[in-house]
């Protein structure tokens, strides 16, 4: 999926505002964590690119009744060279924008790939919740991204870590597909 018109910019900002309010409660309760076990791990994608995990964010309060994986990609406007380092440093400030969305469980933050594209790999409780978040995020990211570069893909009924480690069951024709930017190879 790509940038969508199903969510208005106004409703996207309202959803982000609710997330920021909930973030305060989650942070005050100590339920937000930044594990380091996966930081530094390089993930390869079916489109031939790869990226390194530079941060992980986890919220302890979310159950996984109906797990879903959400993969988001975007390319920032005018961010090249050392500005990538600056963006990764600044990106911690973006945490309140998504952690408080209903159903958020975790996010792996990936550095830019060979084409300066960033990705986030999330786990949600509920594919519908993941889509709602991704649609709102697409509206917000469109303000700072190369037009048409914001995309997302939802995998219902998948747990993130199991999906990342079990790629043997994927059809062989999906490997090295240019449009399979979301598929971990």
């Amino acid at each position: 999926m790509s940038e969508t018109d199903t969510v208005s910019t106004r409703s996207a900002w309202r959803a982000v505002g609710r997330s920021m309010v909930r973030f305060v409660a989650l942070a005050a309760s100590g339920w937000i964590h930044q594990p380091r076990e996966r930081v530094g791990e390089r993930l390869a994608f079916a489109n031939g690119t790869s990226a390194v995990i530079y941060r992980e964010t986890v919220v302890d309060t979310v159950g996984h009744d109906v797990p879903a994986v959400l993969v988001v990609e975007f390319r920032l406007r005018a961010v090249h060279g050392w500005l990538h380092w600056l963006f990764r440093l600044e990106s911690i400030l973006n945490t309140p924008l998504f952690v408080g969305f209903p159903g958020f469980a975790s996010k792996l933050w990936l550095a830019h790939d060979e084409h300066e594209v960033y990705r986030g790999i999330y786990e949600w409780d509920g594919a519908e919740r993941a889509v709602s978040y991704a649609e709102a995020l697409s509206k917000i990211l469109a303000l700072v991204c190369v037009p048409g570069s914001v995309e997302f893909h939802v995998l219902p009924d998948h747990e993130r870590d199991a999906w990342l480690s079990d790629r043997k069951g994927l059809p062989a024709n999906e490997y090295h597909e240019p449009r399979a930017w979301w598929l971990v190879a």
Side-chain angles (χ1 to χ4, degrees):
M1 299 188 120
S2 62
E3 297 168 35
T4 178
D5 291 328
T6 60
V7 172
S8 72
T9 303
R10 178 177 285 168
S11 62
W13 280 112
R14 279 195 301 264
V16 167
R18 288 188 299 271
S19 176
M20 293 173 75
V21 169
R22 186 159 183 259
F23 166 81
V24 172
L26 291 169
S29 300
W31 290 340
I32 301 171
H33 301 286
Q34 304 248 316
R36 303 215 28 95
E37 292 82 15
R38 296 195 84 137
V39 172
E41 181 180 339
R42 179 170 290 278
L43 298 179
F45 293 89
N47 68 352
T49 63
S50 66
V52 173
I53 298 168
Y54 71 91
R55 183 179 301 126
E56 181 175 10
T57 302
V58 175
V59 173
D60 291 338
T61 63
V62 177
H64 296 90
D65 296 330
V66 187
V69 171
L70 165 66
V71 186
V72 174
E73 80 165 1
F74 58 92
R75 185 167 184 222
L76 294 168
R77 237 182 279 151
V79 175
H80 311 287
W82 65 272
L83 291 175
H84 287 295
W85 173 84
L86 189 61
F87 171 74
R88 287 191 303 273
L89 187 64
E90 171 280 330
S91 66
I92 191 72
L93 301 175
N94 300 329
T95 303
L97 305 180
F98 64 86
V99 165
F101 269 80
F104 172 82
S106 68
K107 176 183 180 180
L108 294 175
W109 308 61
L110 278 69
H112 66 286
D113 68 14
E114 297 82 358
H115 302 291
E116 297 188 329
V117 173
Y118 285 87
R119 289 182 184 87
I121 300 177
Y122 301 76
E123 185 166 6
W124 289 84
D125 184 23
E128 302 82 20
R129 290 172 163 180
V131 169
S132 293
Y133 163 74
E135 289 177 344
L137 174 71
S138 294
K139 286 293 188 184
I140 306 303
L141 278 176
L143 301 172
V144 296
C145 287
V146 171
S149 72
V150 180
E151 295 195 59
F152 65 90
H153 189 87
V154 176
L155 296 117
D157 302 315
H158 284 78
E159 291 182 353
R160 187 199 69 193
D161 288 343
W163 175 71
L164 285 172
S165 64
D166 182 27
R167 293 177 292 283
K168 294 181 281 275
L170 296 173
N173 65 349
E174 289 199 43
Y175 288 101
H176 302 294
E177 291 288 328
R179 293 308 306 152
W181 59 266
W182 57 270
L183 184 60
V184 177

